Amino acid sequence: MATTKKTATKKVAKKAAPSLKFNTAWEYAPALEGTSHVTIAPQYELFIDGKFVKPESGKYFNTINPATEANLSSIAEANAADVDKAVKAARKAYNGAWGKMSGAERAKYIFRISRMIQEKARELCVIETLDGGKPIRESRDIDIPLAANHFFYYAGWADKLDYAFPNRKPTSLGVAGQIIPWNFPLLMAAWKIAPALATGNTVVLKPAETTPLTALKLAEIIQECDLPPGVVNILTGAGATGAALVQHNDINKIAFTGSTEVGKLIQQACAGSSKKLTLELGGKAANIIFEDAPLDQAVEGIINGIFFNQGHVCCAGSRLFVQESVYKTVLRKLKDRMATLIVGNPLDKNTDIGAINSKQQLDTIHKYITIGKKEGAEMYQTDINLPRKGFYCKPTLFTDVAQSSRIAQEEIFGPVLTVQTFRTEDEVIEKANNTPYGLSAGVWTDKGSKIFNLTTKIRAGVVWANTYNKFDPTSPFGGYKESGYGREGGLQGLAGYLHI
Ligand code: ADP
């Protein structure tokens, strides 16, 4: 597959006009990650009670490689009867071996999962990239190491819950139903499973229908780690499978990461039940550049925040606010940097922007690009050729964006950045908070006082300062407003799985 890269010459870099034509200054030779060490079975079953079993539904669906549209494997589709089997297995394990086990013993199993993910990291990162379309650099350096780190971190808490919540005598909830999206498949599974196991719960997890493979590999790892049967069950399927899990009446907790739309449905379905609920939903993060910021570093952070991983991040910095005095300079630097982004084969280690996860998501992104143009914003895309097969989108910038426009208010979940300007701190705080979401934000400035002012006034679960999209298992993550509630990660991530 052709990877395409172009860069700005010094001469054009000074002009900052949307009509710039960039010359190709340098090209990288392809540096493809190998796939010969990867095993993907032609068909996967459901993982229930420690075994891979055929679905009661008798149905299977295909998971494809979005970079090539080639079929990767046939995946079992769980129905309500399968959900019931999995929940029963999880309940039996909770009432049996797992529920009676000491925290120190549980920790050994969780630690073992972490080690096994590390051992299989090379295979897992390639599968993540094949199934999801994200650049290998990201799955290799972020997704898989962080997934292992989450298990490692939470293994450490399993025998220290009384210290985590002194004088509160924390107890586990029971069976957790967990539903995850396609943007960080294995990492999201780790975010959900690790704290649940550390706190003594058992789990039924449903991965997203477009990216089930690493969760199924995790099921194999869990089998190899000899976890008691039923402690972790993994059910593949689409929205109906997720809905059946949410509706099951022997579930004590639902943890969901996904769209705000589905989050609201789940909240309605859980209303009036005793199920505990945490929701990590959409976002429309403001990334704010003040005139005193280190501009090159800030531009790199903006690029990282929205274009790497195709904007498939709920905390993507999709709204850029630039202080008026540096607007022209920032825009020029941004366009120059955009022109050097490499869009193409996700398995190539040079690729910055891989494939959009699905045709459906690509259509959504195109829909928003059309809306942006109709709303009167000015669009800029770099002059590159996209691969002919697969789902790809050019990195896209919109200027002259009104605060009320849909591209500035609604989550696009693609490589689309809106740019607005501001003059004062109060003005940008007002604008940054003016969306239904509140998941994350970024501030770029030389002044600690501005950082403190903004981090206290921006209603977002995470505010990064002079960096962006940095994650660590010790740090809690979650939203305000329509970005959901509850926190995952850190000490706070334990609380969602305990009676305290
Ligand atoms: P996205 O827009 O990121 O695909 P979704 O919210 O549609 O996010 O999907 C996130 C997860 O929620 C996926 O695993 C999906 O199968 C699941 N899901 C979709 N619809 C429902 C539903 N009605 N109830 C429970 N889970 C659902």
Side-chain angles (χ1 to χ4, degrees), residues 179-182 206-209 237-239 242-243 246 256-259 262 265-266:
I179 300 166
I180 57 173
W182 44 258
K206 192 201 85 66
E209 54 273 35
V246 170
F256 173 76
T257 300
S259 61
V262 173
L265 292 176
I266 291 178

Side-chain angles (χ1 to χ4, degrees), residues 357-412:
N357 183 262
S358 63
K359 169 82 171 54
Q360 193 190 357
Q361 186 56 29
L362 183 60
D363 291 345
T364 303
I365 298 168
H366 284 156
K367 181 190 86 182
Y368 274 107
I369 290 177
T370 307
I371 290 172
K373 287 193 276 191
K374 277 199 189 140
E375 284 176 331
E378 184 163 341
M379 188 190 76
Y380 170 79
Q381 286 180 328
T382 49
D383 183 18
I384 51 171
N385 300 316
L386 298 178
R388 264 192 243 116
K389 203 132 178 78
F391 313 130
Y392 292 92
C393 182
K394 290 184 183 182
T396 305
L397 187 77
F398 277 107
T399 50
D400 292 334
V401 177
Q403 178 70 24
S404 58
S405 62
R406 286 183 66 189
I407 53 167
Q409 288 289 326
E410 297 175 20
E411 187 178 46
I412 301 173

